[in-house]
Amino acid sequence: MKTILETDQDFICNIDAPCFQMLTSEEVELIRAGKTQVFFRKGDNLSKQGAFASYVLFVITGLAKQYIEGDSSKSLNLRIIKPGEFVGLSAVFTKNIFNYSSVAITDCQVYLIEKESIASIVQQNGMFGFNIIKRYCEQNVNLFDTLRNMTYKQMNGRIADTLLYLDSHKNQIPEIFQLLSRKDIADFAGISTESAVKLLKSFEKDNLIELHEKDIHLINYNTLNEISRKG
Amino acid sequence: MKTILETDQDFICNIDAPCFQMLTSEEVELIRAGKTQVFFRKGDNLSKQGAFASYVLFVITGLAKQYIEGDSSKSLNLRIIKPGEFVGLSAVFTKNIFNYSSVAITDCQVYLIEKESIASIVQQNGMFGFNIIKRYCEQNVNLFDTLRNMTYKQMNGRIADTLLYLDSHKNQIPEIFQLLSRKDIADFAGISTESAVKLLKSFEKDNLIELHEKDIHLINYNTLNEISRKG
DNA sequence: ACATAAAAATGTTCTATATCAATAAATAAG
DNA sequence: CTTATTTATTGATATAGAACATTTTTATGT
């Protein structure tokens, strides 16, 4: 599954991710000592819900999607993971268990960083800790949002939501929709694949979106936002 | 609504909440300088989803429930807030807006702490930051759990879950069930009040629980756990 | 290029759970 | 103590959305 491409040499040095800038050289050294670079091929799991986690993942290049799993083949997609983001941070601070699964939707270069390195730097470098908390906070805000969507909105609103969310990545990732199947989109909206397909068609009929093979163009943002709000 | 009972005198000193033990005396002073003690009466809102938040709440005594709101009269209860817990921590690190509402279910003594105090202490005291992150993490884990429950479980599992969750507080709060209405319980399970009532009755008939006026005794923990797991 | 598998598309049926309606019990108010 | 107002309870009805079944399209491997 995972293929180790290159071992830890001069990598951490040229990490220009903002969150590593605030580290002292000893701290950088600590991270460097406890990290491995791993290459994940499209479709490989970066994390698996419930699995033991002794490291934190930091995405250098590539895209992944984060999701929670139910029984059998059901899953709910939570977000697109982009370069510069962590996966499995919780492992550092609570039970060493991944709260969620994540899977590469393109090939990914990822650092595995020993959780002890992160933990000790957080304790000695307040600014770094502050940054980590901020990331948590954002994740938290998103979780509250998702929970509200799942609890209070119905299909139309959820699909509109999903389209707007994914579309917001088009600047950075023009091919975002091509990377996702209808099932993926359905799983972002938390509805069945069939329902997703039907809703997309109906949105197309109402001139809210255009379907070009796998790509989706949003046309009427106002109405989509309205639908998303109204639920 | 809020009644200020006593002003900030020698209160912070005798806070024996573990998370304040690790502060230096200057840091304690900083917190003390920027805090107010407030008394919330049963039914008062400690936080209101969407409202501007310039402070963090720290519960000294009393109980509250945290919930997210939908339109009109709908809400989803997330947890019971107990002494020693923060409300609205996110305000410190992201938009100054409460992610969720919370309401006192008994009279509560609460500190309002200026978010700047918390922010600056986090940045200078790594251990304190670490502790805050841990709290975040736990909230995170709970949110993932709730999301999984809401997405994958159905009524029976959700009510069983709720009963087990509330029952787990009975040691500390023997009167926990008396403090909650059927609607409250339903809102913890994320189902309609009518459904909650019917399910409770059916659980009683199956000898899983006993209903004594408002109080609920769990009898068959094994089966309840089973139902909670199976969804 | 062909065969086989996977994904997308649609119409039909089925089900979990909300909503509605109406009564009974329990609090609160006067 | 009596009346008014929530809260709890119960059965009947309605519905959003899943599951199913089938066809069409697209992707994948040999």
Side-chain angles (χ1 to χ4, degrees), chain A residues 74 154-155 192 195:
Chain A
K74 294 194 178 172
Q154 53 197 59
M155 291 208 299
S192 74
S195 295

Side-chain angles (χ1 to χ4, degrees), chain B residues 5-53:
Chain B
L5 256 204
E6 338 192 32
T7 34
D8 29 293
Q9 269 143 24
D10 53 340
F11 281 105
I12 202 80
C13 331
N14 57 26
I15 279 189
D16 31 45
C19 74
F20 292 118
Q21 302 294 352
M22 56 186 65
L23 299 185
T24 67
S25 49
E26 295 107 54
E27 288 164 353
V28 167
E29 192 46 50
L30 186 61
I31 296 253
R32 184 199 283 178
K35 76 121 187 30
T36 326
Q37 192 179 31
V38 172
F39 183 78
F40 288 92
R41 197 149 268 125
K42 182 175 175 169
D44 291 348
N45 268 101
L46 310 210
S47 71
K48 187 71 184 168
Q49 178 179 310
F52 190 74

Side-chain angles (χ1 to χ4, degrees), chain A residues 112-159:
Chain A
L112 308 191
I113 303 172
E114 279 177 12
K115 66 188 174 66
E116 288 78 11
S117 317
I118 301 278
S120 71
I121 294 174
V122 163
Q123 276 169 74
Q124 68 192 47
N125 186 332
M127 284 304 293
F128 183 74
F130 193 81
N131 185 281
I132 295 286
I133 295 179
K134 267 197 151 159
R135 287 162 186 266
Y136 258 111
C137 255
E138 276 156 34
Q139 179 149 103
N140 240 294
V141 171
N142 288 335
L143 284 171
F144 277 109
D145 251 34
T146 306
L147 200 46
R148 254 188 295 276
N149 289 341
M150 292 296 291
T151 309
Y152 298 121
K153 288 186 187 173
Q154 53 197 59
M155 291 208 299
N156 289 276
R158 303 232 287 263
I159 272 280

